[in-house]
Amino acid sequence: MLNRTESNHGMWSSRLMFILAAAGSAVGLGNIWRFPYLAGENGGGVFVLAYLVCIGFIGLPILISEILLGRAGRQSPIGAMVALADSVGVSRRWSVIGWMGALAGFMILSFYGVIAGWAMAYVPSTLSGTFVSISAIEAERSFEAFISDPWQVVGWQSLFMLLTIFIAARGVGRGLETTVRYLMPALFGLLILLLVYSAVTTGEFIAGLTFLFQPDFSRFNTDSLITAMGQAFFTLSLGMGAIMAYGAYMPKGSSIVGTATTIALLDTTVALMSGMVIFPLVFANGLESSAGPGLMFITLPIAFGQMAGGQIFGTLFFVLVTFAAITSSISLLEPAVAWVVEKTKLGRARSAMLVGVIAWALGLGSAFSFNIGSDWTIANGMTFFDTMDYVSNNILLPLGGILIAVFASWRLGQDQLLNEMSEDRAWIPVWRFLTRFLAPAGVLIVFVVTIF
Ligand code: PHE
């Protein structure tokens, strides 16, 4: 059963395709929407430094573990954990990693699809000139008017989910791989174009860089650290099995450490570049860097609306965000889709539809959180949207991450480890120290502090 060279779901055609797919999962709203506004709210450079440390010492070792378990198991995360647990003679309860992950995937997709829908909606509105010379008040009003219309929000969320389901239904090769093959290079190209635009036209590029890279230690607090650690998980798609599912389709014979490092570097580069695109625009237009989640939907349209070429570059920006979101949402669906394919006779397309429709329905709750359902609060005054975000990012992902690190470093058999890491032997002691002790301890700290 184990040590198979192929998965029944299909395979990435090369190591590069695995890198594009995993980077496609990692690079998303987390990098372009969430990272800049978190950096803005948490004092810039200090936050960025804490985030980089978390990526290197916690994120990267867990990323390696997830790819490793996925490739060793060659199935959906639930199936892989059952097979791996059996192979080393430990309890099948370890498959809780897969179950929790699938649940987290549904919950993340619930709010992710809504924000991605907003980004998609901003493509035609920016293109048609809605934001040209718009004032701050008008930009805010137009955003408020948009999100308080349930039909619009649900309409765009549904369109986004439909696209996600369509790609997932076509399978690993024709769906997932074809999508990342074209969208990822387009995304990098657009980002570079926007970076040049922001650097050349704003005159505030240096101010943006200073904000992002010069740590002001007086603004450092434990909250920034916790936020930075949570962001490291979310941005690398860790702790829910997305990367494990993708790892199952990774060809044998390529280094997992090298591949994971490349993915983490690409993801971090995109986050930093997004910050370098956004903050010069913010500073050049005298806007607030700490605008919060509205940074992308209120602040940026104002900035683009003031600038030469802003209509075109603003449109390209929202196209970029949409692409980044799609290559992530397909990975959020994949663990559950692969599991349904394994357990039923439905086949790929129907399994994708079934799972996708459930995710879409859960997303309605998040879509209504800004309008008709704004007072359906669950606990502590949090809306459905807030609850999905909070429970998945602050509880399920860190918990999943610890379990993955612990299983990979304490439970997996030595022979399996050597088999998967034969290209990375020299790194095994370092990886093992980080996943056995440092990463779980770090995650445990975040976990405890966030909850209490
Ligand atoms: N990493 C994605 C982003 O940054 C979100 C994501 C989280 C995707 C978990 C898959 C799994 O937008």
Side-chain angles (χ1 to χ4, degrees):
M1 197 65 193
L2 287 174
N3 297 329
R4 288 190 306 184
T5 50
E6 299 267 324
S7 114
N8 294 336
H9 300 284
M11 295 290 286
W12 307 116
S13 59
S14 63
R15 171 173 181 253
L16 176 68
M17 282 302 145
F18 171 72
I19 292 178
L20 285 187
S25 167
V27 172
L29 297 173
N31 306 59
I32 312 174
W33 165 68
R34 209 160 187 259
F35 172 77
Y37 93 69
L38 290 181
E41 281 181 337
N42 290 282
V46 210
F47 173 83
V48 175
L49 189 68
Y51 160 83
L52 292 176
V53 170
C54 294
I55 293 275
F57 291 99
I58 298 176
L60 185 56
I62 297 184
L63 182 61
I64 294 171
S65 314
E66 253 195 64
I67 301 176
L68 181 93
L69 294 184
R71 196 169 73 170
R74 291 271 183 240
Q75 294 167 59
S76 69
I78 299 173
M81 287 314 301
V82 170
L84 291 171
D86 283 353
S87 76
V88 285
V90 298
S91 164
R92 282 190 163 191
R93 293 210 189 106
W94 279 101
S95 63
V96 69
I97 292 176
W99 288 105
M100 255 173 35
L103 178 68
F106 281 116
M107 295 174 82
I108 295 176
L109 208 47
S110 160
F111 67 86
Y112 209 84
V114 173
I115 305 277
W118 294 355
M120 241 185 357
Y122 268 53
V123 172
S125 49
T126 314
L127 185 65
S128 63
T130 313
F131 304 118
V132 174
S133 308
I134 199 167
S135 71
I137 305 274
E138 287 166 336
E140 205 171 326
R141 280 214 190 111
S142 105
F143 178 63
E144 296 294 335
F146 167 60
I147 62 171
S148 52
D149 179 351
W151 289 105
Q152 290 236 36
V153 178
V154 170
W156 286 103
Q157 181 241 359
S158 306
L159 184 62
F160 180 80
M161 289 305 297
L162 215 62
L163 272 172
T164 304
I165 296 169
F166 176 75
I167 297 168
R170 289 173 61 90
V172 176
R174 286 192 312 144
L176 275 48
E177 179 161 323
T178 310
T179 306
V180 299
R181 185 193 292 270
Y182 295 105
L183 293 195
M184 291 310 286
L187 189 151
F188 289 121
L190 281 173
L191 194 58
I192 292 170
L193 195 71
L194 284 161
L195 189 61
V196 173
Y197 172 74
S198 180
V200 171
T201 59
T202 56
E204 292 291 342
F205 194 57
I206 301 299
L209 289 189
T210 311
F211 180 75
L212 279 173
F213 295 109
Q214 203 175 67
D216 172 2
F217 287 97
S218 68
R219 301 191 62 171
F220 192 80
N221 60 44
T222 45
D223 274 357
S224 317
L225 186 68
I226 293 157
T227 315
M229 198 132 44
Q231 173 63 6
F233 265 90
F234 183 71
T235 194
L236 287 177
S237 305
L238 294 181
M240 57 124 326
I243 297 292
M244 211 190 283
Y246 276 14
Y249 317 144
M250 180 187 180
K252 265 269 190 231
S254 41
S255 149
I256 292 183
V257 173
T259 310
T261 309
T262 311
I263 295 163
L265 281 175
L266 282 172
D267 184 71
T268 307
T269 308
V270 172
L272 296 176
M273 281 172 76
S274 304
M276 289 190 252
V277 169
I278 290 174
F279 287 111
L281 290 170
V282 169
F283 295 137
N285 293 282
L287 303 165
E288 261 320 309
S289 59
S290 57
L295 186 66
M296 197 170 96
F297 296 102
I298 300 173
T299 308
L300 283 189
I302 304 172
F304 285 122
Q306 310 300 330
M307 297 173 57
Q311 198 171 338
I312 301 207
F313 284 93
T315 307
L316 290 178
F317 176 82
F318 287 108
V319 170
L320 164 88
V321 179
T322 306
F323 284 0
I326 289 182
T327 57
S328 298
S329 65
I330 50 182
S331 76
L332 283 161
L333 216 50
E334 185 61 25
V337 174
W339 183 76
V340 175
V341 171
E342 285 161 13
K343 286 292 161 192
T344 65
K345 292 193 168 44
L346 289 176
R348 180 82 195 187
R350 273 187 232 133
S351 302
M353 277 182 242
L354 175 70
V355 171
V357 166
I358 298 173
W360 168 81
L362 198 64
L364 292 179
S366 294
F368 292 145
S369 293
F370 300 90
N371 35 71
I372 53 175
S374 57
D375 40 86
W376 306 342
T377 51
I378 299 190
N380 291 329
M382 292 199 295
T383 60
F384 189 84
F385 181 100
D386 299 333
T387 311
M388 292 295 114
D389 182 328
Y390 186 88
V391 174
S392 55
N393 290 334
N394 296 343
I395 301 175
L396 295 177
L397 296 190
L399 198 59
I402 299 189
L403 292 176
I404 287 165
V406 167
F407 186 90
S409 59
W410 291 97
R411 285 285 173 267
L412 196 68
Q414 183 69 12
D415 47 333
Q416 262 162 6
L417 184 70
L418 287 176
N419 185 11
E420 291 305 330
M421 298 202 35
S422 55
E423 291 85 8
D424 301 308
R425 268 170 207 255
W427 287 106
I428 291 180
V430 183
W431 168 80
R432 193 175 261 153
F433 170 74
L434 293 174
T435 39
R436 279 197 165 171
F437 306 105
L438 200 92
V443 173
L444 214 60
I445 292 169
V446 198
F447 193 48
V448 171
V449 179
T450 340
I451 291 183
F452 299 105

